[in-house]
Amino acid sequence: MFIVWEGSIMRKTGVIVRYELKMQFGRPAVWVVFGAAVLLCQLDSFPSAVNLARLEFLPQPAYFISRIMSFDVLVLLFGLMFLLAGRLSVDERTGVKSLFMAAPLKKSQYAAGKLVGGFFFTFLMLCAFLWFNMAVYFAAAPFSLSVSACVFPLVKACLVCGLPASLFVGFVSVALPGVMDVRLFYMLGAVLFGVNAANVGSAEAMPFYLITSGDLVRLIWRHPRWPFVNWNSVLANVFFLTGTAAAAAVLLLIKRDLWRKGS
Amino acid sequence: MGECKSGIQNELKIAGTNLFLVSAGICGAVIVLAAAGGELLDLYPVSFEVIFPFFAAVSVGEWARTRADGNFDLIAAQSRSLFAWALKRSAAVFGTVSFFAVGCMAAVSLIRYAYPLRELIFMYFPPAFFLSSLAAWVGLESVQEHLAAAVSGLVWLAALLTRSLLRIRGVEYIYLFICYAGDPNHVWLWNKGIYTAAGILIWAAIFRRNYQKKVNRI
Amino acid sequence: MDRNIEISHVSKKYKNGVTALDDVSFTVGSGVFGLLGHNGAGKTTLMKALVTILTPSSGTIRVCGRDTAAQGAEVRKRIGYLPQELVMYPSLSVFDFVNYMAGTKGIRDKTKVHEALKAVEMEEYAKRKIGQLSGGMKRRVGIAQALIGEPQILVVDEPTAGLDPEERVRFRSVLSRYARGGRTVLLSTHIVEDVHQLCEELAVLRRGKLFYAGKADGLMQRVEGKVKLLCLEDERQLAGLDRKAVVLQTTYEKDGIRVRIMDDGGNFAGAKTVTATLEDAYVYCMGGKYYA
């Protein structure tokens, strides 16, 4: 009985997640953002003669992945932040929220569906971005590459960096516009992303508040001159990303007028 | 003139109090940063060439919605000029943000003087005008909410990320945040002029795209 | 007789001081029940309280024997709801949207979705995007999602406002068919014709208070034999009329002004008595003065 009940709870959340993904992937604006990020990535890291001369370690697939993870993924995530920011308000505007509230659906199921939907959407887009650009790199490289040399850092990037970054962007972008003015949220996001964009790598431990260029990315590739990993900084980076995501989710769940009264 | 003034007032009423509250909040944050930030922070370009122009673009994209406004069909069917309406709405919001930006410049100059106010305005206005014009144009082209702010935001972030392109000759004339990047070749006035012209061109394109309806004289 | 909905001394006062409902009490049995009232009478507030979106300031509402405040989850398993303002997600197809709503009710069987679409004659448009539908079709999709799961209570708020006559007839057919077999359809509207065609029982709200609750015939009996038709020459005569009778309807014609009045005091003994309609009774409830 408990398993059936649990299954039913997860199922309702799963329905919301499924349709969030469907609606998001069907938006042309998502693919415009994706295209812009891919263009920027190729301009910067395509294995052309000019870029190979400019970037000493570009022939290394792990370096390629860590580079696009540090810079170009930011453009993708920033664009997705804007597109995810309206997921709660669209339900109010279309009148669908009153249908959700009149259904046997709990606030936690609704919120979880929206948040998890945002996370999976961000993660899948990020993975698609990384895999697509790696495929172009593999196909266009004027030097020989093994598949395993490309796939292994790719998988590491998706799991080690991509998961926490997607959790952060997915949760925060859906939840925070539900608790504050969306314009203020954009400004906070801009400041964070701007600081991320302005940060360059160094031998010192990277600040913990970097989304994709913190010390987590050193787990994909390390500069030969700085081969060490500062595990405290890595953990701080992970905790910042996941902790902020969790805090955003909690803020949304405790918001009183998100749902019907007395629920 | 009176009609224009009341039109602007109406547009600000539609935008609501949050425009003023958030603008004031950002102002306050920059002033606090000026007081507490220390000498290491390159405050003026970061605040007035990077942050405030982005905020101006987001404000125009979000508070000066045109096609995404629920009453767009009503206005399109009944207004004498869609271009004039869009211009008035964008100008009201951009003007408000710029007012706060200039006030912030004055306050920060009192705390930590580095540039004359005139220069700060020249630093701020062209990127703000260009990004806001871009947001206004996208807002008129697309019914999707948040897309105008997203496009301006992407251009803004891409500009921040591509600072290394300044090594290529000529890029300094069109790099959006030239003062922030240090203006190595002292071309900032040309740069600002180009971006101001780009903003004007965007508005000319908006005008030309048949957004002006001619009034039939009875 | 079991009453599916029991509304007992329900009041709702908003934070801005507006009293939307003031001590409203009535019960609803099976069949189609009409909730009439002018704009701002409190119909939507009452409906929202019934479907547990809103909490009354005082009073209780019981749906199928369950208190909406204490047993909200149980109540929500038994209701289908179509709100007044429903735009839906324009990018989803008809099938996807109804399936989505079915999923939130815990219904995974896709045949139920097809059945609901078939009931509202939207099955052939299942793959069409919501954004591409006409207003009437969108409303049908709205009803389809409310019908999913065959809820005991169907609550529809102004479902036919703005629809063409053909759509309205179709809607009435769907609602009356659904109400068979012991189910309740609570229909909120200010279109009296819909109530006249569908409802045996009704309630009338006026400025948040219950004006009448009971059989439709009972309401009409209040005005039976008292509705008269007058032909006036000019506005001056019309102005003088207000002091003597409740004006139900005024129609301006080429040769004068035709007026339907409620002659409570018998002041117009010589005027032609006409058959009272439910609309006459409703307008009388609202205080009269319905102008063409």
Side-chain angles (χ1 to χ4, degrees), chain A residues 26-46:
Chain A
R27 289 172 80 176
V30 163
W31 301 104
V32 168
V33 167
F34 184 83
V38 164
L39 182 68
L40 221 66
C41 174
Q42 292 303 317
L43 282 170
D44 179 55
S45 309
F46 183 80

Side-chain angles (χ1 to χ4, degrees), chain A residues 27-29 33 40 54 71 74-75 78-79 82-83 85-86 89 93 181-184 186-187 190-191 193-194 197-198, chain B residues 18 22 26 51 54-55 58-59 62-63 65 144-147 149-150 153-154 156-158 160-162 164 167 180:
Chain A
R27 289 172 80 176
V33 167
L40 221 66
R54 179 171 61 91
F71 298 114
L74 272 182
V75 174
F78 193 59
F82 282 92
L83 297 175
S89 66
R93 210 170 19 86
D181 189 302
V182 71
R183 279 77 56 148
L184 179 61
Y186 287 152
M187 288 313 297
V191 168
F193 274 87
Chain B
N18 275 5
V22 176
I26 290 166
I51 298 285
F54 174 74
F55 178 58
V58 161
S59 299
E62 292 291 320
W63 274 299
R65 280 180 195 178
Q144 274 216 40
E145 283 189 348
H146 309 301
L147 189 63
L154 283 175
W156 176 85
L157 187 69
L160 275 178
L161 283 170
T162 52
S164 60
R167 67 183 184 275
Y180 168 69

